[in-house]
Amino acid sequence: MRLSRAFLPTLKETPAEAQIVSHRLMLRAGMIRQTAAGIYAWLPLGWRALQKVEQIVREEQDRAGAQEILMPTIQSADLWRQSGRYDAYGPEMLRIRDRHDREMLFGPTNEEVVTEIFRQFAKSYRDLPRNLYHIQWKFRDEVRPRFGVMRGREFLMKDAYSFDLTKEGAEHSYRQMFLAYLRTFARMGLKAIPMRADTGPIGGDLSHEFIILAETGESQVFVSQDLLDMDPLAEAPDYDADLAAAVGRWTSHYAATDEMHDPVAWEKLEASKRVSARGIEVGHIFYFGTKYSKPMELTVQAADGSTVHPEMGSYGIGVSRLVGAIIEANHDEAGIKWPDAVAPFRAAVLNLKNGDAACDALCDTIYRALGDEAVYDDRADRAGVKFADADLMGHPWQVIVGPRGAAANRVELKRRMTGERHEVSPEDALAKIKG
Ligand code: ATP
Ligand code: MG
């Protein structure tokens, strides 16, 4: 993308309404624009970051055996009456009437719709287990939308739903998602800690929130240093391994949000290992048994001929919230420092002297070799503006091309994450960036 033609409305001033750094940087870097309270348009830079995050989520869901579908945003109130949640959900639900005066709603979550879809398909135990997910916009009329995309009213969520014949089967599905989540967040360069969450009337210990530590997080969390020291990619084995043992390695350490905090157990932990901090919830997994299959009359025939209600679980990831969370975890005074895996662009080519024949030619060559993954700052601006914008937008690599270097076929290569700069040949720069 050539910056001279790009739609990248960066801001010089820090927007007054933004209270946390990720919100400020997303506005300043021209990633998003608010169109109504808690509702955002995603501009090219933000949209690309969102798609990168979404793609990692998708790959790890697929790898864990879940299948992608796409359910609508608009749902019928009748389905929610069947589950008994229509009245219970409260003012967070956006209720709509169509022209025939039928009650509809903008989906805040999809248990009812997916149960209804599955009900029409599943007849026998052979149709189980299945795990269906989609990545779709949700609406929740939050009392206090804030912090930009972190707590929006309209937001993008990945939600998966598992159907199993037995509780043991559902536990297995739960563990698959548990491990998929560890991988997903680790691939984005985040350390998300699974913490026991409230299971409500269902009881048991099969609900976890995945939380990343950040000063601006909305939850208070208590976690053992041992857990923070674990490596999610090394400790998340493949799906044919012993999943119960793998999950057990994560759940045997202390980790809780304030709702689940147990001060007595906490005090037993060595003082030097007690970390109390703020956290951002990026995912939530939940086993809820027959909570929906029973009232909605989803049944299948078991092998012995008896009729059973499938055991279900649901598994959410805040895809749009993650973009903010990643920035909370990766930034400095000058701007964003994208981890490679989720960077909207891999590299920026900075032409420090537009119109200089050698600079223009070399920049063109490098830009073309990098293709769609690069931005080319070919604007007629001062070098200082280009440096500032590249740092603000946070591309992992910057290729800086000045007239003296270009004449000698040399460029400067800057790594945004570390600030390291090296003078190299254009070929070496390309190899590093692509490597
Ligand atoms: P929270 O406790 O933050 O309100 P929740 O428990 O209501 O979230 P879930 O129903 O578990 O959320 O939704 C799954 C995921 O969707 C959450 O883990 C979170 O990452 C994301 N999410 C929930 N609400 C919002 C929101 N208002 N804006 C952005 N992301 C959200
Ligand atoms: Mg939750």
Side-chain angles (χ1 to χ4, degrees):
M1 186 168 70
R2 284 175 181 271
L3 285 197
S4 61
R5 293 184 211 147
F7 185 67
L8 276 177
T10 54
L11 302 177
K12 299 235 159 37
E13 306 297 313
T14 296
E17 77 270 24
Q19 300 167 40
I20 62 169
V21 66
S22 60
H23 189 195
R24 281 199 291 273
L25 288 174
M26 288 181 79
L27 290 170
R28 281 190 51 212
M31 293 175 65
I32 52 168
R33 272 294 172 282
Q34 186 171 24
T35 61
I39 302 179
Y40 291 87
W42 292 76
L43 309 184
L45 191 72
W47 175 231
R48 285 181 68 108
L50 186 65
Q51 287 175 292
K52 292 271 168 89
V53 169
E54 184 181 324
Q55 187 54 24
I56 292 176
V57 171
R58 174 176 291 119
E59 285 169 17
E60 293 301 330
Q61 290 294 292
D62 292 346
R63 185 137 100 115
Q67 294 170 65
E68 187 170 13
I69 60 175
L70 183 59
M71 293 179 269
T73 56
I74 305 295
Q75 307 180 6
S76 146
D78 285 344
L79 276 181
W80 286 67
R81 292 214 169 84
Q82 290 176 31
S83 72
R85 277 211 295 183
Y86 189 65
D87 295 323
Y89 208 91
E92 273 194 11
M93 181 185 276
L94 181 64
R95 297 159 205 256
I96 309 166
R97 272 175 199 279
D98 70 11
R99 64 198 298 166
H100 303 295
D101 222 27
R102 277 188 292 250
E103 290 174 287
M104 314 291 284
L105 56 103
F106 196 117
T109 179
N110 278 63
E111 281 82 2
E112 283 79 1
V113 175
V114 79
T115 302
E116 149 77 3
I117 292 169
F118 200 69
R119 177 168 72 183
Q120 294 168 22
F121 154 83
K123 299 282 177 283
S124 89
Y125 64 92
R126 283 187 223 96
D127 299 322
L128 299 171
R130 294 288 187 280
N131 186 329
L132 304 177
Y133 77 97
H134 74 162
I135 301 172
Q136 176 64 292
W137 295 91
K138 306 289 187 291
F139 193 94
R140 293 183 186 173
D141 205 350
E142 302 273 357
V143 204
R144 276 212 301 157
R146 57 183 185 153
F147 299 160
V149 299
M150 297 276 239
R151 184 164 297 283
R153 292 198 297 164
E154 191 184 52
F155 59 96
L156 190 61
M157 192 203 286
K158 183 285 299 181
D159 36 327
Y161 303 89
S162 63
F163 301 86
D164 278 273
L165 192 66
T166 60
K167 177 156 197 274
E168 292 66 45
E171 283 169 359
H172 184 75
S173 297
Y174 183 90
R175 291 180 189 126
Q176 285 177 317
M177 285 293 115
F178 188 106
L179 295 172
Y181 276 39
L182 289 176
R183 281 181 191 290
T184 302
F185 300 124
R187 279 185 60 190
M188 296 172 191
L190 292 174
K191 185 156 259 183
I193 309 294
M195 303 198 187
R196 257 188 73 181
D198 194 5
T199 47
I202 290 147
D205 55 4
L206 287 186
S207 178
H208 287 88
E209 292 179 343
F210 286 74
I211 294 187
I212 66 164
L213 303 190
E215 277 163 34
T216 49
E218 291 183 292
S219 331
Q220 178 65 40
V221 300
F222 303 87
V223 52
S224 160
Q225 183 63 44
D226 289 336
L227 202 47
L228 296 174
D229 291 339
M230 283 171 75
D231 175 355
L233 289 176
E235 297 284 347
D238 258 311
Y239 295 109
D240 47 12
D242 180 350
L243 299 193
V247 169
R249 279 200 289 283
W250 287 89
T251 52
S252 58
H253 299 282
Y254 192 92
T257 59
D258 51 358
E259 293 107 56
M260 297 295 288
H261 187 47
D262 172 0
V264 178
W266 183 241
E267 290 301 320
K268 290 195 188 129
L269 204 67
E270 230 175 277
S272 64
K273 295 208 162 155
R274 288 182 219 148
V275 179
S276 75
R278 306 293 296 176
I280 301 169
E281 180 192 325
V282 289
H284 190 172
I285 60 177
F286 204 83
Y287 159 76
F288 47 71
T290 58
K291 181 174 175 197
Y292 299 94
S293 56
K294 213 177 222 164
M296 293 188 69
E297 296 175 2
L298 162 62
T299 55
V300 298
Q301 199 163 55
D304 64 6
S306 63
T307 299
V308 299
H309 296 294
E311 298 274 335
M312 295 174 58
S314 77
Y315 315 90
I317 291 183
V319 176
S320 50
R321 176 180 287 184
L322 271 168
V323 176
I326 290 166
I327 296 172
E328 287 295 321
N330 300 283
H331 66 268
D332 61 14
E333 295 287 282
I336 304 167
K337 301 200 286 188
W338 290 112
D340 290 308
V342 288
F345 293 95
R346 244 183 119 63
V349 182
L350 310 191
N351 187 340
L352 299 190
K353 195 160 189 214
N354 271 47
D356 176 279
C359 279
D360 290 354
L362 186 52
C363 284
D364 260 11
T365 309
I366 296 170
Y367 173 51
R368 237 170 300 131
L370 290 170
D372 179 47
E373 280 296 306
V375 293
Y376 175 18
D377 196 344
D378 61 341
R379 296 173 301 177
D381 278 308
R382 284 183 295 110
V385 172
K386 298 188 180 187
F387 290 136
D389 276 353
D391 279 353
L392 173 62
M393 290 187 261
H395 318 294
W397 298 96
Q398 295 172 17
V399 188
I400 302 158
V401 181
R404 236 181 307 128
N409 201 37
R410 305 289 285 175
V411 300
E412 201 172 2
L413 184 65
K414 175 174 162 179
R415 188 76 166 135
R416 178 71 177 99
M417 195 59 97
T418 60
E420 276 172 89
R421 289 155 159 263
H422 294 289
E423 206 192 87
V424 295
S425 71
E427 295 72 30
D428 286 351
L430 285 174
K432 272 239 160 74
I433 294 168
K434 288 180 170 170

